[in-house]
């Protein structure tokens, strides 16, 4: 696939990666078993969601989703900035998920506190009988890897992506070179300009002819010039 055609795959990978992160964050990451001899210890496993074990994934996933539409419309310079941010986001996702998996007892500590009322890293760790990881941290790791790969693709190929099409083009006046002049404006606008000029004290009889007078002359009936005035008609009749 040519670099110019990598735009859509990179954007899709960004959306999929961020979606996997958010999906994983909302699911159960660990099955926690608290000592039955303690308050709140029932011997039944407690489901610990990703929102508890790795709460930062929510913000990271939403940030990844925000990058996708920005990539679709960004220019060259902004595109590279977004690529760097996406690589950093993916790296943060991988780090957050890895820390939770590497230290499951610390990751489930908030759940122990909620169940027993005991706070603190060491006291809660003593109350944990066992912690079993589920498969749901894996989508977060996969999503983080996708974000990193998509960001790298943006950095490597973004300079040769096609320019974004504009949905709304700037409107331009089409004329024969007289755009903005009095000849290209309607008589009503010219009349307003003349009245404004009179209110400012401008003399409409200057060498530069008044636009409204020109407009009136242009709209005049040619037959009116051949019609005799009232005085001339009366004079002719008396002869």
């Amino acid at each position: 696939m040519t670099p110019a055609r990598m735009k859509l795959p990179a954007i899709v990978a960004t959306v999929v990666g961020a979606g996997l992160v958010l999906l994983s964050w909302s699911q159960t990451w660990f099955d926690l078993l608290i000592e039955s001899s303690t308050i709140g210890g029932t011997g039944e496993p407690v489901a610990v969601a990703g929102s508890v074990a790795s709460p930062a994934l929510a913000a990271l996933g939403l940030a990844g989703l925000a990058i996708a539409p920005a990539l679709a419309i960004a220019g060259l310079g902004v595109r590279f900035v977004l690529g760097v941010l996406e690589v950093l986001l993916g790296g943060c996702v991988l780090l957050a998920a890895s820390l939770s998996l590497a230290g499951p007892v610390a990751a489930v500590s908030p759940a122990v506190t909620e169940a027993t009322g005991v706070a603190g890293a060491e006291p809660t760790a003593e109350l944990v009988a066992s912690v079993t990881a589920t498969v749901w941290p894996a989508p977060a790791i996969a999503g983080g890897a996708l974000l990193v790969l998509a960001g790298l693709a943006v950095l490597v190929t973004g300079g040769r992506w096609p320019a974004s099409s504009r949905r709304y083009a700037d409107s331009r006046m089409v004329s024969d070179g007289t755009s903005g002049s009095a000849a290209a404006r309607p008589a009503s606008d010219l009349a307003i300009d003349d009245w404004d000029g009179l209110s400012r004290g401008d003399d409409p009889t200057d060498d530069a002819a008044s636009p409204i007078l020109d407009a009136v002359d242009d709209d005049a009936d040619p037959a009116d010039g051949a019609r005799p005035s009232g005085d001339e008609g009366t004079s002719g009749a008396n002869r």
Side-chain angles (χ1 to χ4, degrees):
M1 183 177 294
T2 60
R5 296 183 179 180
M6 284 296 297
K7 181 176 183 178
L8 181 59
I11 294 175
V12 172
T14 301
V15 174
V16 173
L20 287 174
V21 172
L22 291 175
L23 175 64
S24 174
W25 169 81
S26 65
Q27 303 299 317
T28 300
W29 276 37
F30 299 104
D31 288 325
L32 165 66
L33 195 61
I34 301 176
E35 293 287 351
S36 58
S37 59
T38 63
I39 299 175
T42 61
E44 296 294 329
V46 177
V48 181
S51 57
V52 175
S54 189
L57 292 182
L60 295 173
L62 291 174
L65 286 180
I67 286 179
L71 283 174
I73 61 175
L76 181 60
V78 178
R79 198 179 298 154
F80 280 104
V81 174
L82 293 175
V84 173
L85 289 177
E86 187 169 4
V87 171
L88 293 177
L89 281 176
C92 290
V93 169
L94 293 175
L95 179 61
S98 299
L99 288 176
S100 296
L101 290 176
V105 175
V108 300
S109 178
V112 176
T113 300
E114 183 178 357
T116 63
V118 177
E122 293 184 1
T124 54
E126 294 175 355
L127 300 180
V128 175
S130 66
V131 179
T132 305
T134 67
V135 299
W136 284 107
I141 295 174
L146 268 178
L147 289 175
V148 171
L149 292 176
L152 291 175
V154 173
L155 294 176
V156 173
T157 66
R160 285 168 282 184
W161 286 5
S164 302
S165 59
R166 297 181 181 273
R167 184 176 180 182
Y168 300 103
D170 295 334
S171 58
R172 295 181 175 86
M173 182 180 296
V174 179
S175 64
D176 58 354
T178 60
S179 60
S181 64
R185 303 174 61 191
S188 59
D189 290 349
L190 299 177
I192 295 174
D193 289 345
D194 278 344
W195 283 115
D196 290 341
L198 289 174
S199 63
R200 292 193 302 267
D202 296 341
D203 187 358
T205 62
D206 287 342
D207 293 339
S210 173
I212 185 57
L213 296 178
D214 292 343
V216 172
D217 290 343
D218 291 341
D219 294 338
D221 188 353
D224 292 344
R227 188 179 304 155
S229 63
D231 294 340
E232 293 177 354
T234 305
S235 177
N238 293 333
R239 292 176 188 171

